[in-house]
Amino acid sequence: MTTGLIPGGQTPDPRPTGGLPQQRHELVGQAALHIDNRSRSSVITARAAASFEPVGRSVATARSFVRDTLQGWGFADIVDDAVVLTSELVTNAVVHAGTSADVLCLRSDEGVRIEVADRYPEREIPLQGQAVNMGNLDREGGRGLQLCAALAGRWGVDYTPTHKLVWFQLDLPERPVGTRSAGPSLPADLLPLADGRVRVAVVQIDRTCAITSWNEDAEELFGYAAEQVIGKPLTDLAAWPHTPGTGTGIAEALQLSRWEGSYGIRAANGRVTSVYASHLRVRDTGGEPSTVCLLVRDHERAVLQTPLRVPASDTTTSSDGQSADPFEVFIGSPAPDDLDGLLQRTVERARDMLDGDSAFLLLATDDETELEVRASTGLPSARQRFARVPVEAGPGRYGSARMPAVHDDLAAVPGAVPLLNGTGMRSVVTVPLKVEGRLTGSLGVAAEAPGRYSNEEALRLQFAADRIALAVESARLGELERLRRGSLSFLVEASDLLAGTLDRDQTLALMAQMTVPTLATWCAVYTIADQASEPYLSYVLHEDEELIDGIKSLLSKIQPPDPVPTPGARVWSAPGEAAHQAALRSSMRSLGLSGGPTHQVASGIGPTLATASAVGGEIVVLPLVARNRVIGMLTLGKPTDEHFRQEILELAEDLSRRAALALDNARLYSERTAISQSLQRSLLPPELPEIDGVEVEVIYRAAGEGNEVGGDFYDVFPIRDGAYGFAIGDVCGTGPNAAAVTGLARHALRLLAREGLSGPAVLERLNSAILDEGARSRFLTLLYGELWPQEDGSARLKVVCAGHPLPLRLRQDGTVEPAAEPQPLLGVMEDLELYEQTVTLDPGDVLLCVTDGVTERREGTRMLGDDGLADVLTTCTGLTAGAVAARIMRAVERFASDAPSDDMAILAMRVPGLHTD
């Protein structure tokens, strides 16, 4: 269906609007010409046009289009007649004629004219006259024109070569000036309850949903001064009742031409005030749209709520005086697309049909043992929504939801209907919703006066329930399927996020952020370090950040929940009780009163009333079990008197299992990382010795994520007076086996060198020790040398290079040359013939030693190599040892854009001479 609202005096735009392929708009212009030619005395003030495909569902959509259009124009008195006539004429077009239908609504000062056109002009029309029998009411053909003759003030048929157009006009009923509707006078005890002064907040919202106007009553109701909220989005203050499976939110509601319903506003004190709202979309003289919102307290909704309920007798008689279906409103109106909308409309129509003060609808769980409150009107919905009651509450007819029941006076049977406790309702009638003999729900209507209902009302309500039960069950199954798909998508996304980190704190934050506000209003995560430890409050999150500190303070002062490994959610009432007791004590102290609850709450909690409201609803605890051990608890909470849906609890249980495993993995990873880092530090010297006459600088960069021990190592250590040993090496591989060889090499070098052995002898004995490791052995490249500073400012070195990248010597004139020759690496052969080479570093010379992570740095097919390293070193003339090492590292890092894939160690030694450069 494609619709368009056109201001009076303008023809519709004939351009396509992206709707159905069969739609055409030219006819609307033709119809406008017809009305202009025939009734020039009438001024057309508004038009609404729509086209419908030749399918069965278009009839219901057309009814909805006409109903919404006329209600938007304020013509509620003629809506029913217009809907009936439109339904018949569109049915003739799309069902019987098999063509698309064009519907045009024209508003004038006299009434409403509706035109229905189809593309089947050759059909004959039964002309009404004395000699013509129009047939009985059961006949399929001709009934639409009969209804036009009976209900419309004027009607007619026009033909064109391509279209047939049937039109009818409904005149507005004459009313006394200033009267739109009225109700009978009532005794004072039957009037709606309200505060001493009813405050109506008037809030205006611009096209971006930002507040532009905020009256004094809004300040009194919600505690914000106008300057605090003007310019802010209303969505920041609105507590919209989000439910999985429904798509309409506050932002969407503010864009509708009209909207009426309940939601919450977060007041300045942090509490959510339930309000009943009436929204009207308007535009200013410049054409800019805005929304005017009228808000009252939810229990004062009678001030704004429309349409007014009609007496029950009026619903059983049609406009032509004939008896009609008492629940026709359920069948005549198209059902909303979402389950919650269908259920809300059902309870409102049921209440109106029996002239009740409230109504409620409960849906059965899959096992038919419990009923869950899904919709209500006239009751505190925030308190009742998703509350669960047993199907079999007691013996006898009135104790089971499977049979219709009438309660004359609930005051005589306290607790007979727990849902109505404390609501002021006295009489109630309930009937079951059944599909193929299976209980799917329960529908009830209640009144504040006793004795209002009898078996006759029960039969009428049961008939209505039978008419709507199948539609409700179909919508419920559709919602359940959407919820399951949404749950699967949610769990997949949650698993990906949890698998993407091994950081414990980040895992805790992800758990909370995925839970709030999707599954709960607030949550807390307790962790347990080991079996002997008490649960520790690790993380708290609330959708309102200002309440986090209060909840955290409250939970930290009360006993944590017991770490029970039993799967599933269990109710935890301690936080709500403690918060309410502390809030009551605080309120009494502020009033100068003494006493209060005798149960002592730990001092220092100090929760505000907002904190008490935040944790006052249902609170459940789910165990976090990983590897057959309880490692924590996930606590979920709702605000005051709200309940969790069973589907949400099942989804939370699935999430808790995944989160528990991710949290345990993060714990294990953290432990492994700490062990690896500690081991890595033990394999490197704690500090470098000070060597007179020689500058020494080392840079070490590990390539791993911190959870693996690298194979590179270095060492500089004193051997005896005036002599120092230095080494830089690389063990094949990483992990524990490589770490074992690394530790063996570094400590063996120190011990053997201090025994007075020469360099070749030290490496030969180290080679034997490595081979003795057997299967754990790893080959090792090692550059080992001994250094003696000289009195003339030079330094003498003896070097053995066993399979390691050759050390490079940088002279003062900028030339670079290898300072040793390659020899066999260690850990491969038993008999090694190693020799040492003597090198003298003159003042200003630099000796550079690196591991292969430096020379094998790659960018695609390019590799830095020994030549590239030498080229960089030639630019380091005159630099200190630290500057040389830093320049080499910068050059290596910039050589490639990717992060290094191997550990890197750089050892630079420089002989500055007798005088520092």
Side-chain angles (χ1 to χ4, degrees):
M1 182 194 78
T2 303
T3 65
L5 287 176
I6 306 101
Q10 298 179 5
T11 59
D13 188 353
R15 293 174 295 178
T17 59
L20 302 173
Q22 295 85 352
Q23 67 183 5
R24 295 176 60 186
H25 293 266
E26 293 82 4
L27 179 62
V28 178
Q30 297 170 7
L33 291 177
H34 293 325
I35 188 64
D36 289 342
N37 292 334
R38 286 192 298 268
S39 54
R40 294 185 180 276
S41 61
S42 247
V43 178
I44 304 302
T45 59
R47 291 182 173 91
S51 297
F52 303 92
E53 287 184 332
V55 293
R57 67 174 182 271
S58 294
V59 179
T61 311
R63 288 197 298 261
S64 178
F65 163 67
V66 171
R67 180 182 296 276
D68 293 342
T69 299
L70 298 191
Q71 286 182 342
W73 290 347
F75 294 162
D77 295 328
I78 60 175
V79 164
D80 291 335
D81 289 346
V83 167
V84 169
L85 295 177
T86 302
S87 178
E88 290 295 333
L89 297 178
V90 174
T91 300
N92 291 338
V94 302
V95 176
H96 301 308
T99 74
S100 59
D102 299 313
V103 179
L104 174 65
C105 301
L106 302 172
R107 184 182 69 183
S108 68
D109 51 358
E110 297 179 356
V112 173
R113 174 185 172 110
I114 297 177
E115 301 180 354
V116 179
D118 63 45
R119 294 168 174 80
Y120 193 30
E122 63 270 21
R123 286 186 300 147
E124 295 182 357
I125 302 175
L127 299 178
Q128 187 171 8
Q130 295 182 353
V132 179
N133 182 11
M134 296 291 288
N136 58 51
L137 295 178
D138 295 330
R139 185 168 169 238
E140 288 293 330
R143 191 169 58 183
L145 299 181
Q146 282 184 312
L147 288 175
C148 286
L151 300 180
R154 283 176 286 174
W155 68 282
V157 182
D158 290 344
Y159 277 102
T160 70
T162 57
H163 295 82
K164 178 176 75 67
L165 183 147
V166 181
W167 61 272
F168 61 89
Q169 181 164 327
L170 298 174
D171 298 328
L172 294 177
E174 295 183 2
R175 299 194 191 97
V177 177
T179 301
R180 178 167 182 250
S181 62
S185 59
L186 296 175
D189 57 343
L190 296 182
L191 296 175
L193 295 176
D195 292 341
R197 175 188 171 189
V198 177
R199 297 186 180 275
V200 181
V202 182
V203 183
Q204 192 154 359
I205 313 299
D206 65 15
R207 67 189 312 163
T208 65
C209 294
I211 299 173
T212 60
S213 177
W214 185 269
N215 72 342
E216 293 181 358
D217 280 358
E219 295 182 11
E220 290 294 328
L221 285 176
F222 309 121
Y224 299 105
E227 56 268 20
Q228 293 179 278
V229 294
I230 288 181
K232 294 184 178 179
L234 180 64
T235 53
D236 289 353
L237 304 179
W240 191 261
H242 288 291
T243 302
T246 62
T248 303
I250 180 65
E252 290 80 8
L254 291 172
Q255 300 300 318
L256 300 176
S257 60
R258 282 183 180 273
W259 185 89
E260 187 173 323
S262 299
Y263 53 89
I265 294 292
R266 293 185 179 89
N269 61 5
R271 300 188 64 180
V272 174
T273 301
S274 296
V275 298
Y276 190 82
S278 177
H279 298 172
L280 176 65
R281 191 78 164 160
V282 298
R283 59 175 178 162
D284 60 19
T285 55
E288 285 295 315
S290 62
T291 302
V292 178
C293 305
L294 304 181
L295 311 175
V296 297
R297 295 182 180 92
D298 193 69
H299 66 273
E300 296 169 343
R301 60 169 57 197
V303 176
L304 300 179
Q305 193 169 30
T306 57
L308 296 175
R309 288 180 286 163
V310 298
S313 58
D314 292 348
T315 64
T316 61
T317 304
S318 64
S319 58
D320 60 359
Q322 296 183 357
S323 178
D325 185 350
F327 214 60
E328 179 64 28
V329 66
F330 287 100
I331 307 303
S333 300
D337 294 334
D338 61 294
L339 176 62
D340 287 328
L342 175 61
L343 300 182
Q344 191 63 35
R345 180 179 295 183
T346 299
V347 296
E348 290 173 356
R349 302 294 169 81
R351 176 204 61 188
D352 294 346
M353 187 183 72
L354 297 187
D355 195 23
D357 296 305
S358 65
F360 52 89
L361 194 150
L362 302 86
L363 294 183
T365 56
D366 292 338
D367 58 3
E368 298 184 25
T369 60
E370 286 186 313
L371 294 167
E372 187 177 63
V373 180
R374 291 299 303 270
S376 64
T377 181
L379 298 175
S381 57
R383 177 169 66 88
Q384 305 292 354
R385 188 167 173 80
F386 301 126
R388 290 177 292 277
V389 296
V391 171
E392 306 291 345
R397 171 186 174 187
Y398 297 111
S400 174
R402 302 181 188 275
M403 296 291 293
V406 178
H407 291 273
D408 291 329
D409 191 354
L410 293 177
V413 190
V417 184
L419 193 64
L420 301 179
N421 289 347
T423 62
M425 300 298 154
R426 296 285 297 275
S427 55
V428 61
V429 53
T430 62
V431 297
L433 275 68
K434 293 185 177 181
V435 175
E436 297 180 351
R438 183 174 58 87
L439 179 69
T440 61
S442 178
L443 177 62
V445 178
E448 294 181 354
R452 287 283 298 277
Y453 303 116
S454 63
N455 287 339
E456 181 181 353
E457 282 80 13
L459 289 175
R460 294 176 59 199
L461 189 61
Q462 183 66 71
F463 180 69
D466 293 341
R467 299 293 294 271
I468 201 65
L470 185 59
V472 169
E473 179 65 5
S474 177
R476 187 188 74 85
L477 293 176
E479 181 200 58
L480 187 59
E481 180 63 22
R482 290 191 297 272
L483 282 174
R484 286 173 178 170
R485 291 181 181 179
S487 298
L488 289 176
S489 176
F490 173 79
L491 290 175
V492 168
E493 183 179 356
S495 299
D496 289 342
L497 290 173
L498 292 171
T501 179
L502 287 171
D503 181 81
R504 176 182 176 276
D505 294 337
Q506 189 173 0
T507 301
L508 289 171
L510 283 175
M511 290 171 57
Q513 291 166 5
M514 287 184 295
T515 303
V516 176
T518 304
L519 304 181
T521 305
W522 64 273
C523 83
V525 183
Y526 290 86
T527 56
I528 303 175
D530 51 60
Q531 298 291 346
S533 301
E534 290 291 325
Y536 174 75
L537 182 62
S538 298
Y539 203 92
V540 175
L541 183 65
H542 192 283
E543 62 181 7
D544 185 352
E545 294 182 357
E546 296 181 356
L547 298 177
I548 294 178
D549 291 338
I551 297 177
K552 185 182 297 183
S553 175
L554 171 68
L555 295 179
S556 64
K557 297 299 191 298
I558 65 175
Q559 190 70 20
D562 296 330
V564 178
T566 306
R570 68 183 192 276
V571 177
W572 185 33
S573 59
E577 295 173 356
H580 282 83
Q581 291 172 5
L584 180 59
R585 292 165 61 89
S586 177
S587 300
M588 295 183 69
R589 284 196 299 269
S590 66
L591 295 173
L593 302 176
S594 59
T598 57
H599 178 71
Q600 296 296 321
V601 179
S603 60
I605 294 180
T608 62
L609 293 177
T611 303
S613 177
V615 301
E618 190 173 38
I619 302 175
V620 297
V621 178
L622 297 103
L624 298 175
V625 181
R627 298 176 175 90
N628 298 322
R629 186 174 70 88
V630 180
I631 64 170
M633 285 89 70
L634 176 63
T635 302
L636 307 179
K638 286 280 190 180
T640 301
D641 291 329
E642 287 196 17
H643 300 268
F644 286 97
R645 295 185 59 176
Q646 188 62 34
E647 294 87 349
I648 295 298
L649 294 180
E650 293 173 358
L651 182 57
E653 189 175 353
D654 286 338
L655 175 63
S656 68
R657 286 194 292 266
R658 289 164 170 78
L661 187 59
L663 185 61
D664 200 46
N665 288 339
R667 177 187 63 82
L668 295 174
Y669 179 83
S670 299
E671 293 177 356
R672 179 181 176 185
T673 300
I675 294 172
S676 298
Q677 291 175 346
S678 177
L679 180 57
Q680 185 71 68
R681 287 192 296 268
S682 71
L683 300 178
L684 301 175
E687 59 184 10
L688 298 177
E690 294 287 341
I691 302 178
D692 293 336
V694 179
E695 297 175 0
V696 180
E697 183 66 29
V698 173
I699 296 179
Y700 179 83
R701 297 284 172 83
E705 298 180 354
N707 61 339
E708 290 189 355
V709 181
D712 291 8
F713 70 95
Y714 64 88
D715 200 1
V716 179
F717 55 91
I719 299 176
R720 49 189 173 274
D721 292 342
Y724 296 87
F726 65 91
I728 185 170
D730 185 1
V731 177
C732 173
T734 59
N737 291 336
V741 176
T742 302
L744 171 65
R746 193 175 78 83
H747 295 293
L749 285 175
R750 289 194 173 209
L751 291 174
L752 295 173
R754 288 170 178 171
E755 289 295 325
L757 300 176
S758 64
V762 169
L763 267 60
E764 288 171 0
R765 285 169 171 75
L766 176 59
N767 181 64
S768 299
I770 293 175
L771 293 175
D772 289 342
E773 291 290 307
R776 295 186 303 170
S777 66
R778 294 285 190 277
F779 64 79
L780 167 67
T781 66
L782 179 64
L783 172 66
Y784 173 74
E786 296 179 357
L787 179 146
W788 290 270
Q790 304 297 309
E791 294 181 358
D792 61 356
S794 63
R796 184 166 60 88
L797 292 80
K798 291 184 178 181
V799 182
V800 181
C801 186
H804 200 78
L806 299 179
L808 299 179
R809 176 182 180 181
L810 171 66
R811 297 183 181 274
Q812 281 189 311
D813 59 3
T815 59
V816 175
E817 60 185 8
E821 297 177 353
Q823 300 185 57
L825 51 77
L826 308 181
V828 178
M829 299 179 294
E830 293 185 2
D831 297 328
L832 293 179
E833 294 182 0
L834 302 176
Y835 58 91
E836 61 185 6
Q837 297 172 271
T838 302
V839 180
T840 300
L841 297 181
D842 296 326
D845 289 355
V846 175
L847 184 70
L848 177 67
C849 310
V850 300
T851 58
D852 59 6
V854 174
T855 57
E856 295 180 1
R857 177 74 162 144
R858 294 180 180 274
E859 174 69 18
T861 58
R862 298 187 307 121
M863 186 173 73
L864 180 64
D866 296 334
D867 294 338
L869 180 63
D871 292 340
V872 178
L873 186 59
T874 57
T875 65
C876 298
T877 304
L879 300 181
T880 63
V884 171
R887 178 170 293 186
I888 297 297
M889 179 57 70
R890 283 197 303 271
V892 173
E893 291 176 342
R894 293 174 180 174
F895 185 80
S897 57
D898 295 336
S901 59
D902 193 5
D903 298 339
M904 294 186 293
I906 299 174
L907 171 61
M909 293 185 291
R910 178 175 180 267
V911 180
L914 297 176
H915 302 285
T916 303
D917 291 347

